[in-house]
Amino acid sequence: MSWLKYGFAVFLYLLQYTDAVFEDQVGKFDWRQQYVGNVRFAFFDTHSQASKKLLVATEKNIFASLNSRTGELFWRHVDKTGPEGNIDTLLVHGQDAVVVVGNGRVMRCWETNIGGLNWEVVLDTGSFQAAAFVGVQDFVKYVAVVKKSAISFHYLSNGHQKWVENLPDSDTVQYQTVYSDGQEEVLVLGVVPNSHIVVVAYNIEDGEIMKQISVEAPWMSSLEESCVVVGAGILLCVDPITVSLYTLPLYSDQRTEMNQILLQSLDLDVAPGFQPVLTATQPNPARAPLTSFFLQLGPEHHLLLQLKDGIITTLRDFKPSRLAAFATSGEKTVAGVMTPKNETACSINLFTVDTGRRLLDTTVIYHLEPNGGKPSKLYIQAFLKKDDSVGYRAMVQTEDFALTFLQQPGRVVWSREEALAEVVTMEMVDLPLTGTQAELEGEFGKKADGLLAMVLKRLSSQLILLQAWIAHLWKLFYDARKPRNQVKNEITIETLSRDEFNLQKMMVMVTASGKLFGIDSRSGSILWKHYLENIQPNSAFKLMVQRTTAHFPHPPQCTLLVKDKETGLASLHVFNPIFGKKSQISLPALPRPILQSLLLPLMDQDYGKILLLIDDQYKVTAFPSNKNVLQQLQESASSIYFYLVDSSQGRLSGFRLRKDLSTELIWEVVIPAEVQKIVEVKGKRPNEHVHSQGRVMGDRSVLYKYLNPNLLAVVTESTDTHQERSFVGIFLIDGVTGRIIHEAVQRKARGPVHFVHSENWVVYEYWNIKARRVEFSVLELFEGMELYNSTAFSSLDRPHPPQVLQQSYIFPSPISTLEATLTEKGITSRHLLVGLPSGGILSLPKMYLDPRRPEVITEQSREENLIPYAPELPIRTEWFVNYNQTVSRVRGIYTAPSGLESTCLVVAYGLDIYQTRVYPSKQFDVLKDDYDYVLISSVLLGLFFATMISKRLAEVKLLNRAWR
Amino acid sequence: MASSSPRHISLSVLSTITLLLWTEFAHCNLNRRPNDALDTDFSVPLEHSFEIDDEPIFRRRGSLELRAGRESGVTISQSQLSEEDRNTLKEVAAVDGLYRIRVPRVSLQADRQTEKQADGYLTAFVKACALVESHLSDVITLHTDVTGYLIGVSIVTIPGTCRGLEVEDEVDLESFNTTLTVMAPVNAPMPETALFIERLEQEMEKKEKNPQEQKSFFAKYWMYIVPLVLFLMMSGAQDQSGGGAGGGAANGGGR
């Protein structure tokens, strides 16, 4: 008995997966891309001429430094998501970058070279308004932070607070900006909307109020939007209603109203409906701003103006012009203006700020992406050349969150696609066959047209194959003469073709901004991109592969359903997933909100799967919609069922399609929304295969799995959040008949619930309130010892409810997302891929989540290889598939089968994108990289010759014996 | 009518919540204590529909009797099908139509009917031909949520197939042979820590009692291993003197 136990322990030890990668395999099958999100603030480091740093703060609450020569990340600080980590402002001076985070909660100062934290201070409560550097005698010493009712002064060197003072009348006055130009006072500007402006001057040294003036401004609603400070402390505001500019010298005490300058008097006009925008620049916080400023009067109209001695002069009129920006290098400040050249290109030019003269040889041509967004912001990095002329590089930010870095005369140095920081959904599509492979395929596809034609066809295709082979050989020969590093297989759209084991696929990624990407899964390079304009920010996306690459010569086809969450109105975008081209197919009109979409396994005559869209009147629209499709739908209408979920009322309802494409309600389940709320409903993945129908038990009998393809897993959370009464509900409902197969309640638990529904099991994860820990639970469904109807499964004909087994485990870490591996035929054992908030991706064998794990080990359970029950699931370091490649803020994991049964392709996306392969049962169908071919072939040959020789010798011996 | 036994199980599951609510209601129920007998029989209509054109028109099939108190449970009482109904059902079966049932959304606790008014129905269906071929033997399951409120109903026939068999005997289609069950949510298990720790402790104890067990593999079986190794070495030495090729292998084994 005891040695049996020992043997079992050895067996268990052998079971421990040593899946970890070897050092030389790092980056061989996997890649990671790091993103920062849409840029809100960007500063070039002007500290020294040779600096390569670009500091950015983004909408994703990230503060990062990019290498401006390559576009790669130097370092990145990922803050909390949501408003708590929101970056209010970014100020850069020299090597210090000051960031105010979370509506004025915390102020941090970072060292820009290595990204180290200089200091961090927690600010007093109060909503953040503005922050600025304050300089004294040409030297920046302090940071001033204005909150709703107070102003505080901090030393830039250590963050210590110098003084804090209340702002007068802060309940009526909205203080919005702070201004300083190196003088003794710092000015805080506030506004009482549609009444007056308040200017309060504080002494820098002790915070004493030096003076306080109020100036009539009945037309003003917001200071921030309409005013800037130019020259030596002159407030300049623009009023779109009277179409005029107002000036106010901030340091004079006598003025009680602003000086109005009509734009008409300058021969200027505002484009109708446009709010004019003023842009000024203050190159050094310890000195006054420049007297020149930009005034934008229309979407394509900028002016460079100058305010001197109360008089405004036009330096240059830029019409048309898209964007304008100031840039400073040393003592020189220049203005960069982007003007549209033609439909596809813009040119950027530099101008001096004091005269508006164009600088020679400063043109940069910027080519717009064919399917990209419009440029939205321009950043100029100016530098002084050896001959003291100004050179520059430009960074263009576009509406689709892309950054493009340009160098004279128009070379794109790098570009970053920050839209990929928020991938919403994705699919992996097989690459097409090469031309020659397709030629052979086509031969079989075509109908026979005579013997001779067939023979000729065969001969010609063989000839093409021969030609391709010779070309391949020639290329090999040619490449062999070149040095190693020059032979680099550049992947372009033209050279894309399926590899032997279908390991390289096209990743079609949909991002929240509405930009679609086609990414090569092997290298991670972006092969195509397509920006969909007019996408509402809160849209829901559903990506479907209507036609795969398997139906040559028909091109593959993907359909993206974009649904506005508020109105429910949807639109379709049909495209070729390999090339990203929009399809010319006529799209159905969708005037009504769409409730549900359904991709049928039925195909039209062009091998495209039929997509059904159900609107709010339960009418069905088919896409594509031609005679053949409608006929097919009529024939199979009685077997097409679908379900709708209304989570606000807790209603699940089932419908059946009628022949005239109307629908009828056939079942209804209502889970009262007052008690519990439906969080998520998940079916099974349609492309999943289950290899074994049952499990062989210890006594050699078979326990059959309940494999209902129509099963839905519905997860609910209780509305009562009290510790004792809160629960998570799991319902397993048949999507055709509406029959509730199983109902379970996890008491004293709450969400967020992550779950996977596959084969005959559901794994879910929840938070146990009482024990304060994360727990996993697994439900497995079995038909029992005999199968009701082994030939086919019909939801309508399964009268006996399945046996349900369930077990729960403690998991020692919170999780962000959960997915299961998927392989071609489903023979390989399954693993669960768990995305952890720490950035790790854990490959947890499903074997550990098996409700049949016995509490007491018996002979039979040992026979079945069941692991004895232990309440805690282990986390082994070798289970992390991404070793040290941390994936920040994982939101989803996508799995796809490859051509190899052992291999499953995995893409984890969140802030970063990580692609790898996993082998849940190890690589049983692949020889290792370091497989010793020489040894095995020499052994084989040796054995072969040994047998030959010994045979000969044996014959001789026999002959000799016979003669004896 | 095998409805009572599962009902008891489900009630025990629900008892915690229902008892809590009952205590709140006990206050106002005090005056009505003698009327308890009246509350016990609360009946909910069970309706069905089978039409040739598949437009549901629900008619009464029977009623579900909810009983409160200690012997709470649900029973079904239903009348026979009329001749007209039988013929319609057969015709519907012939055109592969549906047989639908519905119940109003109510609480299965008979005492709590006043709390919530029924709004809407729960529906389910089965193929009419399956019902005919099973000679009207069906299983109706009522599903409740944690509070005992009805959330779904399901109907299956046994057997569930439609083979296209003709049912000649009119008597077979006269009365329903219904099994009514009530399904309430089961409590999902928590991680079994207590049992696991107990088992670990037991094993520890066993080990302490029996120090023999703690010995390592080699310590326990040295008497078998040493002679084996010796024997292998001896035989290897002999072979080597003979000069055979096998000597090397045996030597290797002996090492």
Side-chain angles (χ1 to χ4, degrees):
Chain A
M1 183 63 199
S2 56
W3 71 266
L4 239 174
K5 205 177 248 171
Y6 182 79
F8 186 61
V10 169
F11 170 72
L12 266 187
Y13 179 75
L14 290 176
L15 269 181
Q16 308 306 323
Y17 287 83
T18 44
D19 248 355
V21 283
F22 294 100
E23 198 177 351
D24 61 330
Q25 287 179 321
V26 165
K28 200 168 178 186
F29 308 115
D30 61 327
W31 50 262
R32 177 181 65 161
Q33 287 171 356
Q34 292 186 305
Y35 293 94
V36 293
N38 189 23
V39 171
R40 281 176 61 205
F41 307 101
F43 288 97
F44 287 103
D45 185 21
T46 51
H47 189 62
S48 72
Q49 285 284 341
S51 175
K52 300 185 283 192
K53 285 191 296 291
L54 165 64
L55 297 169
V56 291
T58 69
E59 286 174 356
K60 295 256 158 215
N61 306 350
I62 284 154
F63 176 50
S65 170
L66 303 176
N67 184 339
S68 65
R69 304 286 149 80
T70 60
E72 280 159 13
L73 282 174
F74 277 130
W75 45 261
R76 180 177 76 170
H77 292 292
V78 181
D79 211 327
K80 289 173 187 162
T81 49
E84 221 183 329
N86 184 40
I87 294 174
D88 298 317
T89 191
L90 167 65
L91 303 168
V92 178
H93 178 76
Q95 298 203 352
D96 297 318
V98 175
V99 178
V100 181
V101 174
N103 200 9
R105 186 174 55 92
V106 178
M107 179 159 67
R108 297 192 183 103
C109 178
W110 301 95
E111 206 277 334
T112 55
N113 281 326
I114 52 163
L117 183 67
N118 284 340
W119 48 262
E120 179 186 75
V121 285
V122 178
L123 298 172
D124 298 336
T125 51
S127 73
F128 174 83
Q129 298 297 330
F133 283 127
V134 177
V136 184
Q137 290 150 1
D138 245 18
F139 188 66
V140 177
K141 261 178 123 173
Y142 311 110
V143 188
V145 179
V146 174
K147 294 226 172 174
K148 194 168 182 326
S149 59
I151 172 170
S152 60
F153 247 62
H154 298 263
Y155 291 97
L156 179 59
S157 53
N158 55 16
H160 290 189
Q161 188 174 294
K162 187 177 165 72
W163 50 263
V164 57
E165 288 295 328
N166 283 331
L167 292 164
D169 306 321
S170 58
D171 43 349
T172 51
V173 185
Q174 297 173 10
Y175 289 97
Q176 287 174 338
T177 37
V178 55
Y179 169 74
S180 144
D181 56 8
Q183 297 194 29
E184 297 290 289
E185 301 165 351
V186 58
L187 305 174
V188 182
L189 311 180
V191 64
V192 178
N194 305 320
S195 171
H196 59 274
I197 301 175
V198 178
V199 181
V200 187
Y202 286 91
N203 188 322
I204 288 179
E205 287 309 315
D206 52 8
E208 191 190 336
I209 295 180
M210 305 295 282
K211 68 177 180 215
Q212 190 177 348
I213 52 172
S214 84
V215 182
E216 293 291 310
W219 46 270
M220 188 184 288
S221 58
S222 169
L223 206 70
E224 252 177 332
E225 284 166 24
S226 50
C227 294
V228 288
V229 180
V230 291
I234 295 163
L235 185 71
L236 180 75
C237 300
V238 63
D239 174 26
I241 295 156
T242 56
V243 200
S244 51
L245 293 171
Y246 289 86
T247 60
L248 172 74
L250 290 171
Y251 287 113
S252 74
D253 313 344
Q254 301 88 5
R255 298 295 284 272
T256 53
E257 62 179 31
M258 298 177 87
N259 181 22
Q260 189 182 15
I261 304 164
L262 286 171
L263 280 178
Q264 240 168 355
S265 67
L266 301 165
D267 285 334
L268 298 174
D269 245 341
V270 179
F274 188 81
Q275 161 87 31
V277 182
L278 284 164
T279 317
T281 178
Q282 186 177 12
N284 189 338
R287 287 188 211 153
L290 300 184
T291 50
S292 306
F293 59 93
F294 275 116
L295 173 63
Q296 190 182 3
L297 292 174
E300 295 222 331
H301 188 196
H302 290 77
L303 286 155
L304 185 64
L305 304 174
Q306 194 172 38
L307 176 71
K308 233 176 197 170
D309 310 324
I311 300 156
I312 290 176
T313 46
T314 307
L315 294 179
R316 195 163 184 133
D317 190 345
F318 302 103
K319 194 172 186 180
S321 59
R322 283 237 170 110
L323 300 165
F326 287 110
T328 304
S329 173
E331 298 295 307
K332 267 193 183 167
T333 301
V334 287
V337 178
M338 180 192 270
T339 50
K341 220 174 154 195
N342 52 37
E343 285 291 298
T344 60
C346 291
S347 67
I348 304 166
N349 282 292
L350 281 199
F351 300 86
T352 59
V353 283
D354 37 9
T355 58
R357 187 173 53 84
R358 193 172 86 88
L359 293 167
L360 290 175
D361 301 327
T362 57
T363 308
V364 165
I365 305 292
Y366 169 67
H367 292 278
L368 296 168
E369 297 254 346
N371 291 312
K374 291 192 193 83
S376 61
K377 213 161 179 186
L378 179 68
Y379 303 92
I380 303 278
Q381 182 190 24
F383 55 87
L384 292 175
K385 290 182 189 165
K386 285 205 179 92
D387 57 352
D388 219 29
S389 64
V390 180
Y392 74 108
R393 301 181 191 97
M395 186 170 78
V396 183
Q397 187 180 2
T398 46
E399 282 173 342
D400 54 2
F401 304 171
L403 295 177
T404 313
F405 196 75
L406 302 156
Q407 207 175 25
Q408 279 172 298
R411 192 171 73 87
V412 175
V413 185
W414 51 263
S415 63
R416 286 181 71 88
E417 291 292 348
E418 291 303 338
L420 284 171
E422 195 172 358
V423 174
V424 186
T425 176
M426 66 168 292
E427 283 289 341
M428 270 188 166
V429 184
D430 293 352
L431 292 176
L433 300 165
T434 54
T436 46
Q437 287 169 323
E439 181 76 24
L440 278 183
E441 288 275 304
E443 198 184 326
F444 297 112
K446 276 184 192 126
K447 287 186 190 95
D449 39 18
L451 191 65
L452 192 69
M454 288 284 277
V455 169
L456 282 178
K457 176 89 192 148
R458 163 54 62 92
L459 281 178
S460 75
S461 55
Q462 301 258 348
L463 214 69
I464 290 168
L465 273 181
L466 185 72
Q467 198 183 341
W469 187 64
I470 290 168
H472 176 71
L473 280 185
W474 173 247
K475 192 165 176 288
L476 273 183
F477 175 71
Y478 194 75
D479 284 348
R481 299 188 314 176
K482 279 195 207 162
R484 252 296 150 81
N485 50 4
Q486 276 186 22
V487 187
K488 209 166 132 196
N489 288 334
E490 273 290 302
I491 297 155
T492 56
I493 275 191
E494 286 74 35
T495 59
L496 271 186
S497 66
R498 201 179 299 178
D499 60 338
E500 221 175 328
F501 298 125
N502 203 2
L503 289 164
Q504 186 180 12
K505 293 198 181 197
M506 178 65 86
M507 292 159 51
V508 180
M509 297 191 124
V510 182
T511 63
S513 64
K515 194 166 187 181
L516 313 182
F517 291 90
I519 299 176
D520 168 41
S521 77
R522 175 160 292 173
S523 62
S525 51
I526 297 170
L527 297 178
W528 59 261
K529 41 201 165 187
H530 190 108
Y531 179 58
L532 302 176
E533 279 169 58
N534 310 324
I535 297 282
Q536 296 300 315
N538 62 345
S539 296
F541 297 89
K542 189 172 180 186
L543 183 63
M544 289 156 284
V545 183
Q546 273 199 292
R547 191 191 299 129
T548 60
T549 4
H551 305 288
F552 185 82
H554 300 288
Q557 182 181 322
C558 272
T559 303
L560 180 70
L561 181 71
V562 187
K563 185 174 152 184
D564 190 323
K565 267 187 197 153
E566 248 162 56
T567 59
L569 290 175
S571 62
L572 290 175
H573 174 70
V574 183
F575 61 99
N576 180 331
I578 305 298
F579 303 109
K581 275 192 210 103
K582 196 176 174 188
S583 167
Q584 299 302 318
I585 294 176
S586 63
L587 297 173
L590 302 169
R592 301 211 59 86
I594 298 297
L595 296 180
Q596 174 75 290
S597 66
L598 199 63
L599 194 65
L600 298 179
L602 300 174
M603 290 193 198
D604 67 355
Q605 74 275 25
D606 293 337
Y607 306 101
K609 284 182 188 162
I610 299 167
L611 176 70
L612 296 186
L613 300 164
I614 295 103
D615 66 18
D616 64 341
Q617 290 180 332
Y618 311 112
K619 287 264 162 31
V620 173
T621 314
F623 170 74
S625 167
N626 51 38
K627 220 171 163 188
N628 176 301
V629 169
L630 294 179
Q631 194 190 336
Q632 278 198 55
L633 280 179
Q634 263 179 22
E635 279 165 17
S636 49
S638 63
S639 62
I640 296 173
Y641 298 83
F642 62 90
Y643 69 94
L644 297 177
V645 183
D646 180 356
S647 57
S648 63
Q649 289 178 36
R651 187 184 302 271
L652 289 133
S653 37
F655 292 81
R656 185 166 79 151
L657 195 68
R658 285 203 188 131
K659 285 195 166 39
D660 57 345
L661 290 194
S662 63
T663 58
E664 59 177 328
L665 181 77
I666 48 173
W667 58 265
E668 229 176 336
V669 167
V670 186
I671 302 167
E674 304 90 69
V675 181
Q676 48 194 327
K677 218 170 147 24
I678 297 177
V679 187
E680 211 176 339
V681 179
K682 259 191 203 169
K684 289 178 190 172
R685 287 178 66 163
N687 58 344
E688 115 181 343
H689 294 274
V690 181
H691 180 70
S692 59
Q693 286 271 306
R695 291 185 56 167
V696 182
M697 315 276 284
D699 59 358
R700 296 283 172 259
S701 62
V702 176
L703 185 62
Y704 286 100
K705 294 175 184 171
Y706 180 77
L707 296 167
N708 182 349
N710 309 317
L711 198 65
L712 303 174
V714 181
V715 169
T716 63
E717 275 179 46
S718 64
T719 48
D720 191 347
T721 52
H722 184 270
Q723 187 188 327
E724 288 294 319
R725 295 188 294 271
S726 152
F727 64 87
V728 166
I730 316 291
F731 298 83
L732 299 179
I733 299 177
D734 188 301
V736 170
T737 61
R739 187 175 170 201
I740 300 177
I741 303 291
H742 185 68
E743 277 181 77
V745 168
Q746 194 80 48
R747 301 228 178 240
K748 290 168 191 145
R750 69 169 159 77
V753 179
H754 299 94
F755 68 107
V756 182
H757 182 197
S758 178
E759 271 184 66
N760 64 328
W761 48 264
V762 178
V763 171
Y764 61 92
E765 174 268 358
Y766 57 90
W767 174 256
N768 184 329
I769 303 176
K770 202 181 171 203
R772 295 170 164 276
R773 63 192 178 200
V774 173
E775 290 179 2
F776 267 76
S777 196
V778 58
L779 277 161
E780 261 183 53
L781 288 87
F782 292 100
E783 288 224 354
M785 289 303 172
E786 45 198 282
L787 220 47
Y788 179 79
N789 176 0
S790 56
T791 49
F793 188 96
S794 166
S795 285
L796 296 168
D797 181 19
R798 279 285 142 143
H800 305 293
Q803 300 168 10
V804 182
L805 301 176
Q806 189 169 13
Q807 217 169 49
S808 300
Y809 314 88
I810 302 162
F811 191 69
S813 162
I815 79 164
S816 326
T817 185
L818 194 64
E819 188 53 79
T821 59
L822 194 67
T823 52
E824 182 79 13
K825 299 277 177 234
I827 299 168
T828 308
S829 61
R830 308 291 295 269
H831 276 202
L832 288 172
L833 297 166
V834 188
L836 305 179
S838 62
I841 309 236
L842 190 75
S843 181
L844 182 69
K846 168 73 179 56
M847 201 161 69
Y848 281 87
L849 288 154
D850 183 345
R852 302 190 57 250
R853 280 176 73 175
E855 255 146 35
V856 182
I857 312 155
T858 61
E859 201 71 34
Q860 291 204 348
S861 69
R862 202 170 290 139
E863 189 86 358
E864 248 189 280
N865 293 344
L866 291 174
I867 308 166
Y869 181 77
E872 187 169 358
L873 292 173
I875 293 186
R876 301 231 159 83
T877 38
E878 67 265 25
W879 285 352
F880 285 102
V881 293
N882 58 339
Y883 46 107
N884 66 351
Q885 307 275 316
T886 311
V887 189
S888 280
R889 294 187 190 158
V890 189
R891 246 197 345 271
I893 294 175
Y894 178 86
T895 52
S898 72
L900 287 173
E901 172 54 33
S902 66
T903 309
C904 168
L905 304 175
V906 176
V907 182
Y909 53 86
L911 186 60
D912 302 339
I913 297 174
Y914 181 73
Q915 190 276 144
T916 190
R917 302 172 191 168
V918 292
Y919 320 100
S921 299
K922 297 205 203 165
Q923 283 181 288
F924 57 81
D925 51 1
V926 181
L927 291 178
K928 281 211 183 75
D929 278 345
D930 52 355
Y931 187 76
D932 206 338
Y933 292 96
V934 179
L935 182 75
I936 193 101
S937 40
S938 57
V939 165
L940 270 175
L941 276 175
L943 282 174
F944 177 72
F945 285 118
T947 22
M948 294 289 280
I949 293 162
S950 55
K951 196 179 170 194
R952 177 78 195 135
L953 287 176
E955 274 173 10
V956 171
K957 203 176 177 183
L958 270 176
L959 193 69
N960 285 344
R961 193 180 289 166
W963 277 105
R964 206 175 280 166
Chain B
M1 312 281 162
S3 62
S4 52
S5 56
R7 184 66 204 137
H8 281 300
I9 298 161
S10 58
L11 250 187
S12 64
V13 168
L14 296 172
S15 56
T16 39
I17 282 187
T18 38
L19 273 175
L20 272 175
L21 287 159
W22 273 345
T23 44
E24 284 168 33
F25 270 78
H27 196 70
C28 51
N29 274 355
L30 270 179
N31 320 346
R32 293 202 290 136
R33 274 267 169 230
N35 294 355
D36 255 13
L38 288 178
D39 288 341
T40 48
D41 275 355
F42 183 86
S43 81
V44 174
L46 170 71
E47 293 168 302
H48 62 175
S49 150
F50 40 96
E51 303 293 329
I52 301 261
D53 57 355
D54 243 359
E55 282 297 327
I57 302 163
F58 284 97
R59 286 155 302 173
R60 194 180 174 84
R61 164 172 159 176
S63 61
L64 304 171
E65 315 273 341
L66 312 181
R67 264 175 304 147
R70 217 156 268 190
E71 300 149 49
S72 65
V74 185
T75 50
I76 190 167
S77 67
Q78 45 197 354
S79 44
Q80 290 190 339
L81 277 183
S82 66
E83 179 147 16
E84 191 189 337
D85 281 349
R86 283 200 299 268
N87 288 335
T88 333
L89 187 61
K90 277 171 109 177
E91 279 169 36
V92 172
V95 297
D96 197 22
L98 301 184
Y99 173 83
R100 303 152 193 263
I101 57 164
R102 73 171 188 189
V103 288
R105 291 178 56 199
V106 290
S107 174
L108 280 194
Q109 255 95 42
D111 331 44
R112 294 178 51 204
Q113 292 313 324
T114 43
E115 269 180 56
K116 234 187 270 180
Q117 283 303 309
D119 50 343
Y121 291 88
L122 304 165
T123 49
F125 74 97
V126 71
K127 290 226 168 186
C129 54
L131 190 72
V132 171
E133 283 177 35
S134 67
H135 307 292
L136 300 190
S137 46
D138 54 356
V139 180
I140 294 176
T141 314
L142 301 171
H143 301 269
T144 65
D145 69 354
V146 281
T147 59
Y149 202 71
L150 262 189
I151 59 164
V153 60
S154 71
I155 176 167
V156 286
T157 60
I158 295 176
T161 42
C162 275
R163 290 209 183 79
L165 301 173
E166 274 290 311
V167 178
E168 292 299 331
D169 203 348
E170 284 284 314
V171 187
D172 281 349
L173 292 181
E174 243 168 34
S175 60
F176 286 98
N177 170 22
T178 304
T179 315
L180 184 74
T181 53
V182 177
M183 229 174 91
V186 293
N187 270 342
M190 297 283 210
E192 284 282 356
T193 40
L195 217 91
F196 182 73
I197 291 167
E198 204 175 288
R199 213 180 68 215
L200 275 186
E201 275 170 2
Q202 271 175 6
E203 243 163 65
M204 290 290 280
E205 261 173 43
K206 221 191 241 172
K207 271 186 185 170
E208 272 164 27
K209 268 186 205 162
N210 194 358
Q212 192 80 34
E213 291 265 312
Q214 275 176 317
K215 279 187 182 173
S216 74
F217 182 74
F218 196 78
K220 266 189 276 181
Y221 302 107
W222 64 272
M223 63 278 268
Y224 305 109
I225 296 165
V226 169
L228 192 82
V229 170
L230 277 176
F231 171 75
L232 283 171
M233 279 171 78
M234 300 285 279
S235 63
Q238 273 169 5
D239 263 24
Q240 217 160 33
S241 64
N251 234 348
R255 242 181 273 148

